[in-house]
Amino acid sequence: MPAVGFELFGIKFFEDQSEIDADAVIVDPQPYFVTFTSSEGGGVETALRNASSLLADEAEPASGAAGLIAKARGDYRRLLAALYGEGYYGGAVSIRIGGREASRLAPDTRLPDPVDVAIAVTAGPLFRFGDVVIANQAPPTLDPYDQVDLPALRGFGVGEVARSAVILRAEQLALEAWRQQGYAKAEIVSRDVVADHATNTVAATITVNPGRLAAFGPVRVTGTTRMNPEFVAQQTGLAVGQEYDPDDLERAQKRLDRLDVFRAARLEAAESIGSDGLLPYDLIVEELPGRRFGVGATFSTVDGLGLEGYHLWRNLFGQAERLRLDARVASIAWPLDTAQFDYFIGGTFTKPGFYHPDVDLVATVSAERTIYPKYTETSAGGRVGLSWFFSDELTFEGGASFEIARFDDSFGTRDFQTAGLYAGLVYDGRDSSVDPTEGWYASANIEPFFDLLGGTPGGRLVVEGRTYFGFGENDPFVLAGRLKAGAVVGPALVDIPPDKLFFAGGGGSVRGYGFKSIGVDDGMGNITGGRYLLEGSLEARARVTDDIGVVGFVDGGYVAADTFPGLDDLRIGAGLGVRYYTGLGPLRLDVAVPLNRKAGDPDYAIYAGIGQAF
């Protein structure tokens, strides 16, 4: 009778098990323990230990004697490669299993349970480069964006330690130098490496074939379902006839990623450059689902619990248009009092590739009712403008805005209708936006506005800078600093909308004080917003383990009515924090106390969130 069955996820059903059992081979696990010795210590021994599969897998038994012997034979190659990587070309490796050299053992050898494995490595003499040659090296270029480090500056020079990785790096640099100058198909045609054991030197000759000068050809898009393929090709920014440049390819990939509509997007060059000098590309994409939603929460002992959610529609009309709706309820505290809750709802429409692949059209509308410590805002408004991504680090945005608002504060109930313009410039040179360890960040924003009801003009300027210094291997210690300043010009404070004035305090400002609780005392016990702002923060961050970190911080802030930067009433908060590092960024928990507490300020404040405070 014929056997029948089917397979699902690798599991076979209704199959004749007698045939399977007859052919099955049961392999007993082979436990082992390793002793390791090396003639060289320090970094050489570390590299050898890291290369050994026997050491890495010691806690898990091998798949029988044959599996252990195969693993040992592979270690001969891995350990020799590690020696070459450190510049030792005359070394010797011995791996003995049960006292016998592994290379001489038959796969069916019977071994004790467990069996001892002895690895002994003799590094031999250190080799240095005696002669280095790169045939067909790219000529120098005056274009700073096309300049590539000379291999000699990266260790490929006479007298340098002849590490194998240095030779591979020299090849990569030689190829990159040609490719930066438009030779897309440059390749290594030969690599001659000769070790002279009499002189302990290595002669290395690398021969490059630059190929032909190339220009970008047409981009053919495949894999789209809802996206317009012509728009996708346009968003790469690669124009037909444009000289080949790997930097342009990198920018094209980032433009595609910024669209936020692809699970994967990969540019593949054609096998060869055409007779017309053009190099065509295939762009293979896989689209993400058209919708996405998310929820989040924040908590502070001062500001209470906040809940928020959003719904995102991707690719509304086939050109990566996005519509995002946000809603938030905050200041939730016990006992529950809905009259004290804050509410926000808003929508953002983004049209990528407006006028240029690096320009987005962004329009937003929103409405909110928020009870701040010093005033209550009920407002609705919108703005429309452009975001221009000049480079990976530099972004510009600008546009127009309009807002209708009612404010209740120490000046009473006031209505405003403001129309204005806004412009901002951001430079972000940090190595990470959620957990930076080096680099710096700077932003500047200017906002001229006009109150249509009061007939009064005004303007607002805010600048901020942040910097980070990491110490130690993989930067376990980081010092971070932040400085922010702002100024408002225009009529008297009573004639300026409170949301245009400055307040300080809260998790992103001066910790230990309530959100927007630091302002200007009018002399009668009332706190209003100020015309000038100065804030600063210092943090010392340390990783205790791979997953846990601790933080000590000091924040300071000052809000003034008419003078700046007088520091008579500087408010300072300090505290400690814990970080739990995840793939999405560190989870943050900070406890802060106000150092110069005034009436109405809390005794302490606890803040929780995702990412570093700044």
Side-chain angles (χ1 to χ4, degrees):
M1 179 177 180
V4 295
F6 70 93
E7 183 175 348
L8 179 64
F9 304 129
I11 303 173
K12 298 181 180 180
F13 297 87
F14 311 129
E15 190 170 41
D16 188 344
Q17 295 299 308
S18 63
E19 294 183 13
I20 298 175
D21 294 339
D23 296 333
V25 177
I26 299 175
V27 178
D28 292 328
Q30 176 63 64
Y32 65 95
F33 58 91
V34 181
T35 57
F36 181 93
T37 59
S38 169
S39 64
E40 296 288 334
V44 176
E45 181 175 347
T46 300
L48 291 167
R49 286 180 173 273
N50 291 339
S52 172
S53 178
L54 287 166
L55 278 172
D57 301 337
E58 185 178 9
E60 297 292 332
S63 179
L68 180 60
I69 293 169
K71 190 187 294 286
R73 289 178 174 176
D75 259 11
Y76 285 112
R77 297 187 298 272
R78 285 184 282 268
L79 292 169
L80 283 174
L83 285 175
Y84 294 165
E86 296 298 317
Y88 294 87
Y89 292 82
V93 176
S94 172
I95 303 176
R96 303 178 73 85
I97 299 177
R100 292 175 288 174
E101 197 66 36
S103 60
R104 299 174 183 171
L105 293 177
D108 58 353
T109 301
R110 297 183 65 84
L111 300 175
D113 186 3
V115 64
D116 66 292
V117 177
I119 303 175
V121 181
T122 302
L126 182 66
F127 281 63
R128 297 183 179 275
F129 288 116
D131 187 28
V132 292
V133 176
I134 297 180
N136 295 331
Q137 192 166 4
T141 175
L142 297 178
D143 187 340
Y145 296 104
D146 290 343
Q147 291 174 357
V148 177
D149 284 347
L150 292 172
L153 299 177
R154 305 290 289 274
F156 192 67
V158 174
E160 300 282 356
V161 176
R163 295 182 173 90
S164 59
V166 171
I167 300 173
L168 296 177
R169 188 186 304 123
E171 292 180 356
Q172 295 167 357
L173 291 172
L175 291 177
E176 182 66 14
W178 278 112
R179 289 170 181 165
Q180 286 288 345
Q181 297 185 43
Y183 293 81
K185 293 296 183 177
E187 60 180 349
I188 302 297
V189 294
S190 68
R191 177 201 306 142
D192 298 317
V193 180
V194 179
D196 187 340
H197 292 266
T199 60
N200 297 333
T201 60
V202 169
T205 300
I206 299 169
T207 303
V208 183
N209 177 14
R212 299 165 53 202
L213 188 65
F216 289 113
V219 176
R220 184 171 67 96
V221 180
T222 59
T224 55
T225 55
R226 299 181 303 276
M227 285 288 291
N228 181 334
E230 293 182 1
F231 172 79
V232 175
Q234 173 187 311
Q235 277 302 107
T236 65
L238 303 177
V240 175
Q242 173 185 342
E243 182 178 303
Y244 172 87
D245 190 328
D247 296 335
D248 291 338
L249 284 176
E250 184 178 350
R251 280 191 287 270
Q253 187 66 58
K254 290 177 179 177
R255 290 185 184 112
L256 295 170
D257 294 341
R258 199 167 59 235
L259 292 176
D260 194 30
V261 292
F262 298 124
R263 178 175 285 109
R266 185 175 74 256
L267 281 160
E268 290 186 355
E271 290 291 332
S272 59
I273 301 168
S275 58
D276 53 3
L278 299 181
L279 180 62
Y281 272 83
D282 283 329
L283 174 54
I284 303 101
V285 301
E286 180 183 356
E287 294 182 13
L288 286 166
R291 296 183 180 184
R292 178 184 176 185
F293 68 91
V295 294
T298 60
F299 175 75
S300 161
T301 55
V302 176
D303 304 315
L305 175 67
L307 302 175
E308 57 189 87
Y310 72 88
H311 196 295
L312 174 67
W313 286 265
R314 295 186 178 97
N315 191 29
L316 288 176
F317 310 117
Q319 295 191 357
E321 301 89 347
R322 298 188 301 275
L323 176 61
R324 171 169 168 154
L325 300 181
D326 289 87
R328 181 174 67 250
V329 180
S331 297
I332 303 172
W334 186 263
L336 294 178
D337 183 358
T338 56
Q340 298 301 313
F341 288 3
D342 298 334
Y343 301 96
F344 172 90
I345 186 169
T348 302
F349 174 78
T350 303
K351 170 65 179 77
F354 182 83
Y355 163 73
H356 186 277
D358 289 326
V359 178
D360 291 354
L361 172 69
V362 183
T364 64
V365 292
S366 63
E368 67 175 299
R369 198 291 297 266
T370 304
I371 303 174
Y372 297 106
K374 304 307 176 185
Y375 68 91
T376 297
E377 173 183 354
T378 304
S379 63
R383 60 170 52 191
V384 60
L386 302 177
S387 294
W388 193 335
F389 303 91
F390 284 106
S391 67
D392 294 341
E393 296 83 17
L394 195 61
T395 304
F396 166 82
E397 66 172 5
S401 63
F402 180 77
E403 182 183 58
I404 300 174
R406 169 167 292 179
F407 297 95
D408 294 288
D409 59 7
S410 59
F411 291 119
T413 299
R414 297 171 296 154
D415 293 326
F416 294 91
Q417 292 182 10
T418 55
L421 302 175
Y422 66 93
L425 193 63
V426 173
Y427 177 86
D428 192 347
R430 300 173 294 178
D431 58 347
S432 169
S433 59
V434 295
D435 187 22
T437 60
E438 62 180 26
W440 59 284
Y441 169 98
S443 67
N445 293 274
I446 186 169
E447 183 184 356
F449 59 87
F450 187 82
D451 176 22
L452 301 177
L453 295 181
T456 54
R460 192 173 194 263
L461 173 66
V462 180
V463 295
E464 182 176 4
R466 308 172 190 173
T467 188
Y468 309 85
F469 301 94
F471 301 92
E473 186 176 356
N474 298 323
D475 298 318
F477 305 101
V478 177
L479 291 179
R482 177 183 73 92
L483 189 64
K484 181 178 180 180
V488 175
V489 296
L493 296 184
V494 68
D495 296 321
I496 301 176
D499 63 341
K500 305 297 185 186
L501 296 172
F502 293 108
F503 292 86
S509 177
V510 184
R511 284 164 284 187
Y513 299 85
F515 179 60
K516 286 193 173 184
S517 64
I518 301 173
V520 174
D521 191 332
D522 64 359
M524 295 181 292
N526 299 315
I527 302 298
T528 69
R531 195 182 299 275
Y532 301 106
L533 170 73
L534 182 64
E535 282 182 0
S537 298
L538 288 174
E539 280 198 353
R541 305 168 183 170
R543 282 206 184 210
V544 180
T545 69
D546 289 341
D547 299 325
I548 303 295
V550 294
V551 172
F553 58 86
V554 176
D555 301 331
Y558 176 73
V559 177
D562 297 305
T563 59
F564 182 77
L567 303 179
D568 299 345
D569 198 25
L570 179 66
R571 311 294 290 279
I572 301 175
L576 299 173
V578 178
R579 303 291 183 264
Y580 179 77
Y581 295 94
T582 71
L584 298 176
L587 301 180
R588 181 177 76 254
L589 181 66
D590 290 335
V591 180
V593 295
L595 297 187
N596 48 350
R597 181 176 176 273
K598 295 189 175 183
D601 290 333
D603 294 325
Y604 66 92
I606 300 175
Y607 306 92
I610 298 178
Q612 298 287 2
F614 61 89

